[in-house]
Amino acid sequence: MELPMVDVSILTQDSNEKSIVIKQIQEACQTWGAFQVINHGVSEAVIQAAMEVNRNFFDLPEMMKKEILELGSRDMFSPVKLLTFQRSARGSDLLQRDLVRLYANPFEDFIDFWPTEPADYREKMGRYTKDVRKLGITLFGAIMESLNLGPTHLQENFDKGMHMVIANSYSPPTPESSIKLGAAPHSDHGIIIILRQSSPGLEVLDMADGKWKALPCSEGSLQVLVGDHLELLSNGIYKSVFHRATLSTRTTRMSLASFHNFELDEMVEPATELTGEDCPKRYEGCSTRDLIKHIFSGEVGRLIDRLKI
């Protein structure tokens, strides 16, 4: 899939070029539910260090990860959660992946919950998390501007909101295995999700022709996905993108997904500026907690589809 490439450095300028980039973001969110970014302020060295330290974390002996596993198993909203699973998806496909999820905003409130092994885990993931958070704030303002809501619309809410970073590890299946996917087709909770893959494998559902297409994965770029809460906030103008993770047959594939949300219990409704007689409200409101609880419930279908009026 040829996703639009957005130059983030232009968003910090007051120029005609900025309006062109805002329009580019608008078209990407409407047409694909995703876009790529370059000159985004997160260096390749920081990205690769975060990838490597998570690869080393997943390679640790199970006993060394046991404390984290036990901590996260007690509560779906634990500030750190480790999941290792191989299970059936809805339908016939089998899934296989490991993940560690970290809460990261406010950073100082959660860093002490993060893994202490490898010894440089907190340092390298902390640097990546801080840099990608700055990027998320910049992109949120641009997306609000693309909806004609203004660059500061709900900015304070977003600044105080949740930031979760999930590191995924997808091991290659054995030749005799029936495992096909690392993650089943789904859309993500949150406003936006900023993603980086170690190698291609994520596929998105093209809204135009209904076919699965590989998401680009190029050095120096990051991918941005529209989440369920942005679909709701935009009153359906932007659509959260369906995607799935495939497995490499040769090497373990890694990805870092940065979820940017409002606060856990903040009720998100369609923006009043985007509703009216000509465009009625299309969704009931919900919180991030509601979306996450629905995901863990195992119920069929998306919560956001049930919220449609």
Side-chain angles (χ1 to χ4, degrees):
M1 175 174 281
E2 293 295 329
L3 288 181
M5 187 73 75
V6 171
D7 187 339
V8 178
S9 66
I10 296 175
L11 294 174
T12 62
Q13 304 172 14
D14 187 13
S15 66
N16 291 334
E17 284 185 279
K18 180 180 177 180
S19 63
I20 295 173
V21 171
I22 295 294
K23 182 67 174 177
Q24 189 180 18
I25 290 173
Q26 179 189 65
E27 292 175 352
C29 290
Q30 286 181 314
T31 307
W32 293 279
F35 55 93
Q36 301 181 84
V37 291
I38 56 172
N39 298 325
H40 42 66
V42 188
S43 75
E44 191 65 21
V46 167
I47 293 170
Q48 292 304 324
M51 285 281 190
E52 185 63 24
V53 80
N54 276 287
R55 193 183 302 276
N56 293 340
F57 170 78
F58 286 118
D59 286 342
L60 290 173
E62 290 304 312
M63 285 300 294
M64 295 186 70
K65 295 184 285 190
K66 189 171 184 289
E67 182 179 350
I68 297 170
L69 180 61
E70 290 178 346
L71 173 65
S73 66
R74 293 194 294 268
D75 182 5
M76 71 178 76
F77 298 105
S78 171
V80 59
K81 192 170 185 67
L82 174 66
L83 293 174
T84 300
F85 59 89
Q86 182 181 114
R87 64 177 176 81
S88 295
R90 301 181 186 106
S92 59
D93 291 344
L94 287 176
L95 308 179
Q96 174 177 291
R97 71 167 164 164
D98 300 333
L99 69 84
V100 59
R101 185 199 70 197
L102 311 172
Y103 282 11
N105 189 51
F107 182 80
E108 295 75 14
D109 290 358
F110 295 114
I111 182 67
D112 289 339
F113 291 98
W114 290 12
T116 55
E117 294 291 339
D120 54 354
Y121 190 90
R122 292 181 177 180
E123 175 193 349
K124 291 181 176 178
M125 274 301 288
R127 177 67 183 276
Y128 175 80
T129 298
K130 289 179 179 179
D131 288 352
V132 82
R133 179 64 180 167
K134 292 177 184 176
L135 172 60
I137 291 170
T138 298
L139 291 176
F140 177 76
I143 289 169
M144 292 301 98
E145 193 169 354
S146 76
L147 287 166
N148 296 315
L149 296 173
T152 61
H153 183 79
L154 293 177
Q155 189 69 61
E156 185 176 343
N157 303 60
F158 189 81
D159 291 348
K160 295 187 299 183
M162 295 187 71
H163 180 203
M164 296 182 233
V165 180
I166 297 180
N168 296 289
S169 176
Y170 304 99
S171 301
T174 58
E176 63 274 10
S177 173
S178 58
I179 292 171
K180 299 179 181 179
L181 296 172
H186 67 286
S187 60
D188 287 326
H189 67 81
I191 303 292
I192 55 173
I193 299 87
I194 301 175
L195 178 77
R196 177 59 182 266
Q197 308 174 76
S198 63
S199 58
L202 193 71
E203 295 181 343
V204 300
L205 189 64
D206 192 322
M207 298 182 196
D209 60 19
K211 296 180 179 179
W212 289 104
K213 297 181 180 178
L215 203 66
C217 178
S218 56
E219 184 173 327
S221 69
L222 295 168
Q223 289 75 49
V224 182
L225 309 182
V226 171
D228 289 344
H229 257 162
L230 181 52
E231 177 175 335
L232 193 157
L233 177 63
S234 71
N235 201 32
I237 296 173
Y238 297 163
K239 302 292 187 184
S240 56
V241 61
F242 272 95
H243 53 285
R244 65 184 184 182
T246 62
L247 301 174
S248 167
T249 58
R250 293 177 294 179
T251 60
T252 296
R253 195 173 68 82
M254 301 284 298
S255 70
L256 296 172
S258 178
F259 291 71
H260 300 264
N261 310 266
F262 292 134
E263 291 186 285
L264 185 62
D265 291 308
E266 180 173 349
M267 191 62 63
V268 180
E269 303 263 1
T272 55
E273 296 88 344
L274 301 177
T275 63
E277 291 184 11
D278 296 333
C279 187
K281 180 179 175 182
R282 298 191 179 110
Y283 301 83
E284 299 290 350
C286 76
S287 67
T288 298
R289 186 186 295 273
D290 294 330
L291 289 169
I292 295 175
K293 285 177 69 175
H294 180 76
I295 292 169
F296 276 85
S297 73
E299 294 183 43
V300 176
R302 302 189 306 162
L303 178 60
I304 193 169
D305 290 330
R306 300 185 185 184
L307 298 173
K308 292 180 179 178
I309 298 172

